[in-house]
């Protein structure tokens, strides 16, 4: 079991991908940072358009959104999924 598999299991069990750490980074943000497309797609499938719009505008303490960090780190598949 990988950390991505574990994250997906937690997500399926009802864990929120939007809770942030001390750097204002959610698990969704960190998935975008690391290019974890499977996790990103799972979150997108289960999140309403209204909530997603709000969450995608959230910024970590480095000032980046989930989309911005995916772009910066060159994760084009994640970027495409978010656009």
């Amino acid at each position: 079991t990988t950390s991505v598999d574990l994250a997906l299991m937690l997500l399926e069990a009802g864990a929120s991908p939007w809770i942030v750490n001390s750097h204002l980074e959610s698990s969704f943000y960190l998935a975008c940072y690391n290019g974890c497309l499977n996790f990103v797609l799972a979150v997108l499938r289960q999140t309403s358009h209204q909530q997603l719009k709000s969450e995608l505008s959230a910024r970590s303490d480095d000032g980046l959104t989930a989309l911005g960090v995916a772009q910066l780190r060159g994760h084009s598949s994640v970027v495409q999924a978010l656009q």
Side-chain angles (χ1 to χ4, degrees):
T1 302
T2 67
S3 58
V4 173
D5 292 333
L6 181 58
L8 287 169
M9 288 189 312
L10 289 169
L11 187 63
E12 290 171 10
S16 173
W18 309 117
I19 296 172
V20 298
N21 63 19
S22 61
H23 300 287
L24 303 177
E25 300 164 336
S26 66
S27 59
F28 182 79
Y29 177 94
L30 292 171
C32 293
Y33 179 92
N34 289 303
C36 297
L37 182 61
N38 289 340
F39 185 82
V40 169
L41 292 174
V43 172
L44 293 177
R45 281 192 299 273
Q46 78 168 35
T47 305
S48 71
H49 177 73
Q50 185 67 22
Q51 182 181 10
L52 191 59
K53 186 176 177 181
S54 171
E55 298 295 349
L56 288 178
S57 67
R59 295 182 182 273
S60 68
D61 66 359
D62 62 10
L64 293 173
T65 62
L67 175 59
V69 77
Q71 289 171 325
L72 183 67
R73 295 186 49 89
H75 299 302
S76 59
S77 58
V78 172
V79 171
Q80 286 180 334
L82 296 177
Q83 292 180 326

